[in-house]
Amino acid sequence: MDTEIKNAVSATDQDAQYDDKAKRLLGNKIILAYILVKTVDEFKGMNPKDVVYYIEGEPFISVVPVEPGLTNVEKIPSNDGRLSLDSRENGQRIVGINTENAEINEGLIRFDIIFYVRMKDGISQVIVNVEAQKDEPSGYHILNRAVFYVSRLVSSQKERDFVNQNYNDIKRVFSIWVCMNMDENSMDYIHLTDDKLIGSYPWKGRLDLLNIVLIGISNELPEHDEKYELHRLLSTLLSMELTVDEKLGIIEKEYSIVVDDRIREDVSAMCNLSQGIREKGRAEEEERIILNMYDNGFTFEQIVLATSRSIEEINAIIKKREPVLA
């Protein structure tokens, strides 16, 4: 494997590890509670510590496929009472969220985080999906993807949360997108509206079933005030510049979040990965400068003075670029 391929694989692995740690951090119930307080109407104004208790079970992180037909999994009880897949011995079917191992069907797209939230009435539920993006994608419009995800969250409820034509049992869904490295801090709420074009007939049904929230996080850490309270928390957690102690200090002192071993471990791992990514980026930029200087006729001695690299290192960088002749 040549150097460029090795570097690409290493960078991809680093990015994947960073993404994994980011999802794990966001997947902590207390962090999700802060997100819910700012995005779900029923919880607005509540103390996030009180909202934690409405999150049911443990959030599923990167294990639920988005693809149609794969979000649910059919579990058929066998004669010995154990649940098995694709068995129809007694025709009894139990359908649940498909939490397959992430290594199976590795090419599948999966929801970053998905979980159920019990409403304050103790009866109704909503389904919440949280997605983390390092930046706004260039290959597609993020709102289009969010519409697809929120649609999947509804359609996948068939035979799990509602059966046959019991469409009144459809649960509200929220797809919340956290996009880093944006030009400004922002938050948009996209939902259904009813425009009366002719007449005023009161069509029955719920306009609040589909909910998309787009949260933009800028690179600059905002002040801690009510308006930017969530943005500051998310920016702190996902920052590639803050140290471990700086992150934990803000989390503990400003948000009164108890830092357990899991949060501490994930914050530490993210900071180490961030440092590696930054150092790699600086090294690549310096290599580009060296190659540009060489291409423009600078001598090795002049490049050494400008970059503090040794002649051996500069020669190795130049040779690495040269194509290998068969």
Side-chain angles (χ1 to χ4, degrees):
M1 187 183 292
D2 64 30
T3 304
E4 284 191 18
I5 294 176
K6 283 182 180 177
N7 289 342
V9 170
S10 174
T12 301
D13 183 57
Q14 256 184 344
D15 287 343
Q17 290 181 55
Y18 182 87
D19 288 346
D20 178 65
K21 295 302 179 187
K23 293 170 192 176
R24 279 177 56 86
L25 269 175
L26 292 179
N28 277 275
K29 284 189 174 183
I30 184 61
I31 305 302
L32 294 174
Y34 269 95
I35 294 174
L36 292 175
V37 165
K38 294 295 184 180
T39 56
V40 178
D41 45 7
E42 176 146 348
F43 298 117
K44 287 181 180 177
M46 287 183 62
N47 186 323
K49 292 183 178 65
D50 296 330
V51 176
V52 166
Y53 299 103
Y54 293 96
I55 298 174
E56 300 197 324
E58 286 300 315
F60 300 123
I61 302 176
S62 296
V63 292
V64 179
V66 175
E67 275 78 355
L70 293 179
T71 307
N72 292 342
V73 61
E74 291 187 356
K75 300 177 181 179
I76 310 299
S78 60
N79 288 334
D80 61 7
R82 290 181 294 183
L83 293 176
S84 61
L85 300 184
D86 302 325
S87 168
R88 296 180 177 273
E89 293 180 23
N90 58 12
Q92 185 180 353
R93 181 177 64 180
I94 299 173
V95 179
I97 289 180
N98 184 357
T99 56
E100 65 177 14
N101 187 294
E103 281 74 31
I104 299 174
N105 297 323
E106 195 169 339
L108 294 180
I109 299 172
R110 291 178 173 81
F111 291 107
D112 282 358
I113 303 167
I114 188 169
F115 56 101
Y116 282 85
V117 181
R118 181 71 60 179
M119 293 291 96
K120 288 187 289 187
D121 61 12
I123 300 172
S124 54
Q125 294 172 305
V126 297
I127 301 172
V128 180
N129 157 234
V130 177
E131 297 289 322
Q133 301 282 298
K134 284 197 292 292
D135 47 37
E136 186 173 12
S138 58
Y140 58 85
H141 298 305
I142 196 166
L143 179 56
N144 294 350
R145 184 176 175 185
V147 169
F148 176 74
Y149 274 45
V150 84
S151 300
R152 285 293 302 130
L153 290 172
V154 170
S155 65
S156 68
Q157 294 181 48
K158 187 79 164 68
E159 306 305 329
R160 186 184 73 223
D161 297 301
F162 75 94
V163 297
N164 301 325
Q165 295 188 14
N166 297 328
Y167 296 109
N168 287 355
D169 293 336
I170 294 175
K171 299 183 188 303
R172 295 179 72 197
V173 298
F174 283 79
S175 190
I176 302 168
W177 294 70
V178 179
C179 299
M180 298 171 274
N181 299 305
M182 302 295 286
D183 293 335
E184 62 175 342
N185 290 308
S186 61
M187 183 184 294
D188 285 35
Y189 175 44
I190 296 99
H191 51 103
L192 297 175
T193 60
D194 178 6
D195 294 327
K196 300 290 185 186
L197 302 181
I198 298 177
S200 57
Y201 184 79
W203 294 100
K204 296 179 177 64
R206 301 181 61 178
L207 290 173
D208 63 352
L209 290 179
L210 304 181
N211 302 273
I212 295 171
V213 181
L214 304 178
I215 302 173
I217 305 294
S218 72
N219 289 321
E220 186 175 343
L221 191 67
E223 294 296 321
H224 191 166
D225 57 26
E226 185 178 353
K227 181 178 181 181
Y228 292 114
E229 184 178 32
L230 177 60
H231 286 76
R232 182 173 173 84
L233 175 60
L234 296 176
S235 184
T236 297
L237 289 172
L238 303 174
S239 170
M240 295 185 69
E241 302 298 329
L242 297 178
T243 66
V244 174
D245 289 340
E246 287 171 332
K247 288 189 177 192
L248 296 180
I250 291 174
I251 293 169
E252 288 181 302
K253 294 173 185 175
E254 297 185 20
Y255 293 88
S256 301
I257 293 175
V258 176
V259 176
D260 58 21
D261 291 340
R262 174 182 163 181
I263 292 179
R264 188 178 300 275
E265 177 187 330
D266 288 341
V267 166
S268 178
M270 276 190 70
C271 286
N272 290 336
L273 287 167
S274 298
Q275 182 179 353
I277 292 170
R278 287 198 306 272
E279 290 173 354
K280 185 175 184 298
R282 284 194 291 265
E284 289 174 346
E285 179 61 25
E286 191 172 37
E287 287 186 9
R288 282 193 290 270
I289 292 171
I290 289 170
L291 291 171
N292 188 50
M293 293 178 73
Y294 177 76
D295 291 339
N296 283 279
F298 284 77
T299 66
F300 275 43
E301 289 74 16
Q302 288 172 320
I303 299 175
V304 167
L305 289 173
T307 64
S308 299
R309 291 288 192 107
S310 68
I311 288 179
E312 291 76 16
E313 288 175 316
I314 293 167
N315 193 42
I317 290 169
I318 293 169
K319 283 191 170 183
K320 184 174 69 174
R321 184 185 64 173
E322 295 173 355
V324 178
L325 299 178

